[in-house]
Amino acid sequence: MIIPSITYKYNDPRDQSWSSGWIITALLNICLLVLLITWSSYIVRDRGMNTIVLGLGVVGIWRHSWGLINFLRAAYFIRSARDATKPIASGSYSLSIILPVYSQSEGQLRAVADGIVNSVRMVPGRILIVCAYRDKAQKELLSEIIENESPFVTHFVRQRGMGKREALADALNIVKASIPIGSKEFVLLMDGDTILTPEAIVRSIGEMQADPQTGAICVNEVPLVKGTKLFVAWRWLRSLQRNQTMSSFALSRRILVLTGRFAMYRSDILLRSEFINRIRKDYLLHKGAYISLLTGDDKTNWLEVLRRGFDVCYLPDVFIYPIEEQNEENNFVKETIALTRRYSGNMARANLHIDAWRGAAGKLHFKYGLLDQRVSMWTSLLTPVALVMLILFDDFDIFILFLTYTFIIKNLQAIAFSGSDYNPVFPYLIFYNQVMTSLVKIFTFAFLHRQKWNNQNISVADNPGMLALDKNARLSILTRSGLFVTFITLVYFVFR
């Protein structure tokens, strides 16, 4: 895997191991684990808490069986992908690349453009690149690199400042007017902060040529991150979790998302007029209200693939380099909440779309995955709520038992997600993500209508309809949270 030249400005998260901080944190983990296990075994012998230990085992089986299933499925899929033949692009075909750029720096755009040039050099077919740019300097820079170094057709379309959906729709119309629609034409949608590896395009086309039922493909990622060490570790953990989840669901030829940073499609999926209109103006009908989708264009693409009945493929051994920068004005908590809110909001709106569930027909694992997206925001709060209640009701011994169980589980999850890329801070980040993501999901599932496009500072305007939806959302959160806390409290006093 070739490392892009821009890496020196960013942190490659794979290089964070075996530093002095890494070793100290690992030793503290081991000491804490030994202390908690010793303390817990003493409590059990002293108070005879076999029922409690059995209860923890039952809760663990219920809570973590889904994670274990996905771990085993992912391990099998990744091993199968490694051992399988790897088709590459061949024969007669055409590829269209759509590249929207926003506030990327000159260095980032050079790295992105160089990645495209290096990747398409391995592609023997006809190439069309459509760049949706914001200002003249971006156009001149991309034109200098792409047009001067590569023998393919390039179009430039200026964005109208109305969001990514408008930019993609305009670019798709250019592609539609330039190439025929058929089984030998492919369209790659990527972001202006994504650096391609040389094999990314040629392997993706090869997989789609090998299986006509494959409608879309996405690949693995190694993020190039600029930020604090904790943020770098958090972003790398998300990528490791993403790889495992994608691999597990890809075994059923379905995945839960097609990312905007790199996804390749068959042209007859994206280039139909009705779909281009849907990209420009998509809606979600929820509880009698039409919610206009400002963001989440990649979810619209994903739903279209499911609607058309195509399979989706994931390549765990093919990589891209997405660039991620922590906002200098945000601390770790504020930055991770902002990113999680964006991810979760788009996920929630896609999950509630009827076409997502129609695409799950005959796919039990995929259907349960959609269901888990709705319920996990509550089940994931069981552990932190239980720990708080044990402190409030002065059950310190049981608190230690539960804390020991939680700490062991989080370490096992960290090892399962990361393998040789293990970082001793991962167990704590997994617990942090569990709590933070659950709270953010509760908010986003209630406030589906609240969206913001950060790259162009576009958001949904306040109006009487939005304010009424806000009121209903607040009531929904209060009602469901109250029922959840009441249920946990009743269970606690019944089994105390």
Side-chain angles (χ1 to χ4, degrees):
M1 186 165 51
I2 296 177
I3 308 299
S5 59
I6 200 175
T7 304
Y8 75 94
K9 294 184 178 180
Y10 295 86
N11 295 299
D12 186 331
R14 297 166 298 178
D15 297 334
Q16 302 298 307
S17 61
W18 299 110
S19 64
S20 58
W22 192 99
I23 295 173
I24 291 172
T25 309
L27 291 175
L28 288 175
N29 274 5
I30 294 172
C31 292
L32 182 58
L33 191 60
V34 171
L35 174 62
L36 286 172
I37 292 175
T38 304
W39 197 348
S40 297
S41 61
Y42 171 78
I43 292 172
V44 172
R45 287 197 308 270
D46 186 56
R47 292 186 52 180
M49 296 183 177
N50 294 329
T51 303
I52 295 174
V53 175
L54 177 62
L56 290 177
V58 172
V59 171
I61 291 173
W62 170 61
R63 280 280 293 114
H64 303 297
S65 58
W66 175 241
L68 179 61
I69 289 172
N70 284 319
F71 169 76
L72 295 175
R73 286 172 58 95
Y76 175 79
F77 179 81
I78 291 171
R79 179 180 291 273
S80 300
R82 185 178 64 231
D83 296 338
T85 56
K86 297 174 175 54
I88 60 174
S90 61
S92 175
Y93 62 90
S94 69
L95 170 68
S96 301
I97 301 174
I98 296 179
L99 175 68
V101 296
Y102 299 97
S103 55
Q104 285 78 29
S105 66
E106 179 181 341
Q108 291 174 352
L109 287 181
R110 285 190 179 275
V112 171
D114 287 340
I116 293 175
V117 170
N118 292 331
S119 190
V120 297
R121 280 175 178 164
M122 300 179 63
V123 179
R126 302 181 302 277
I127 306 296
L128 167 66
I129 298 181
V130 180
C131 299
Y133 67 96
R134 290 180 63 177
D135 56 58
K136 187 177 179 180
Q138 291 177 336
K139 178 182 178 181
E140 292 175 350
L141 176 62
L142 292 171
S143 177
E144 171 194 341
I145 298 174
I146 296 176
E147 290 186 331
N148 292 347
E149 297 192 22
S150 306
F152 39 73
V153 179
T154 307
H155 285 280
F156 291 91
V157 54
R158 184 152 193 167
Q159 298 178 32
R160 293 178 286 166
M162 300 174 65
K164 186 180 178 182
R165 286 183 173 273
E166 287 285 342
L168 286 179
D170 291 342
L172 285 170
N173 276 323
I174 292 176
V175 173
K176 181 182 177 183
S178 303
I179 68 169
I181 301 176
S183 60
K184 294 183 178 181
E185 284 71 41
F186 309 100
V187 179
L188 169 63
L189 302 184
M190 60 178 290
D191 280 345
D193 58 1
T194 300
I195 303 174
L196 304 183
T197 52
E199 72 275 8
I201 290 179
V202 71
R203 281 285 311 280
S204 297
I205 293 176
E207 291 287 344
M208 298 188 81
Q209 287 179 324
D211 183 6
Q213 184 56 28
T214 299
I217 280 182
C218 65
V219 299
N220 203 347
E221 66 175 31
V222 175
L224 302 178
V225 190
K226 181 182 289 185
T228 63
K229 288 186 177 180
L230 191 60
F231 181 74
V232 172
W234 178 85
R235 185 59 182 82
W236 181 225
L237 175 63
R238 283 196 64 92
S239 291
L240 294 170
Q241 292 174 314
R242 171 188 181 273
N243 179 50
Q244 187 174 111
T245 302
M246 288 281 204
S247 297
S248 173
F249 280 85
L251 195 60
S252 301
R253 307 294 290 177
R254 292 287 190 277
I255 57 178
L256 292 173
V257 64
L258 282 166
T259 59
R261 281 182 157 152
F262 181 101
M264 187 175 291
Y265 304 84
R266 296 191 180 277
S267 64
D268 55 342
I269 295 177
L270 298 189
L271 298 184
R272 294 179 301 115
S273 297
E274 56 267 34
F275 174 74
I276 296 176
N277 291 334
R278 189 177 296 119
I279 274 284
R280 196 184 302 274
K281 296 289 184 183
D282 201 2
Y283 297 88
L284 170 66
L285 177 60
H286 182 62
K287 295 183 178 179
Y290 281 95
I291 299 174
S292 179
L293 301 184
L294 179 66
T295 62
D297 53 276
D298 50 338
K299 305 304 182 291
T300 299
N301 303 337
W302 173 71
L303 290 168
E304 183 67 15
V305 174
L306 296 180
R307 186 183 293 113
R308 298 284 302 278
F310 282 99
D311 291 338
V312 183
C313 181
Y314 174 68
L315 303 180
D317 56 339
V318 178
F319 293 86
I320 57 172
Y321 295 97
I323 299 171
E324 193 82 66
E325 292 190 4
Q326 181 178 358
N327 191 324
E328 295 180 356
E329 298 179 357
N330 292 345
N331 58 30
F332 170 77
V333 174
K334 189 174 181 180
E335 183 73 7
T336 54
I337 288 176
L339 290 172
T340 303
R341 184 176 176 181
R342 189 185 77 195
Y343 303 149
S344 299
N346 291 332
M347 176 275 295
R349 285 180 283 272
N351 180 284
L352 293 169
H353 202 290
I354 190 172
D355 286 326
W357 293 86
R358 287 171 177 167
K363 303 287 184 179
L364 180 61
H365 180 263
F366 181 66
K367 184 177 293 186
Y368 189 87
L370 292 174
L371 178 63
D372 183 69
Q373 287 183 336
R374 297 192 184 190
V375 301
S376 61
M377 56 188 171
W378 298 106
T379 59
S380 295
L381 288 178
L382 288 175
T383 296
V385 169
L387 289 171
V388 171
M389 290 183 65
L390 290 171
I391 289 292
L392 292 177
F393 293 109
D394 201 25
D395 279 334
F396 187 70
D397 286 349
I398 304 178
F399 171 81
I400 292 298
L401 287 173
F402 213 79
L403 184 64
T404 304
Y405 153 80
T406 302
F407 192 66
I408 292 173
I409 290 296
K410 297 311 165 193
N411 273 278
L412 292 176
Q413 288 177 332
I415 294 171
F417 284 132
S418 58
S420 60
D421 293 311
Y422 175 82
N423 187 321
V425 79
F426 280 173
Y428 307 100
L429 288 176
I430 290 174
F431 187 75
Y432 166 76
N433 274 343
Q434 178 179 327
V435 178
M436 181 269 292
T437 303
S438 295
L439 296 175
V440 171
K441 279 185 177 181
I442 291 171
F443 177 87
T444 53
F445 264 93
F447 288 86
L448 292 167
H449 54 288
R450 287 298 178 186
Q451 305 161 71
K452 183 176 181 180
W453 182 242
N454 293 324
N455 282 319
Q456 297 193 19
N457 198 29
I458 300 173
S459 59
V460 177
D462 286 333
N463 56 56
M466 291 293 106
L467 296 178
L469 289 174
D470 283 347
K471 183 177 179 180
N472 292 336
R474 286 190 289 268
L475 180 62
S476 174
I477 289 177
L478 288 174
T479 302
R480 294 178 183 182
S481 300
L483 290 173
F484 176 75
V485 173
T486 301
F487 171 75
I488 296 300
T489 305
L490 289 174
V491 171
Y492 172 80
F493 282 108
V494 168
F495 291 98
R496 189 180 181 186

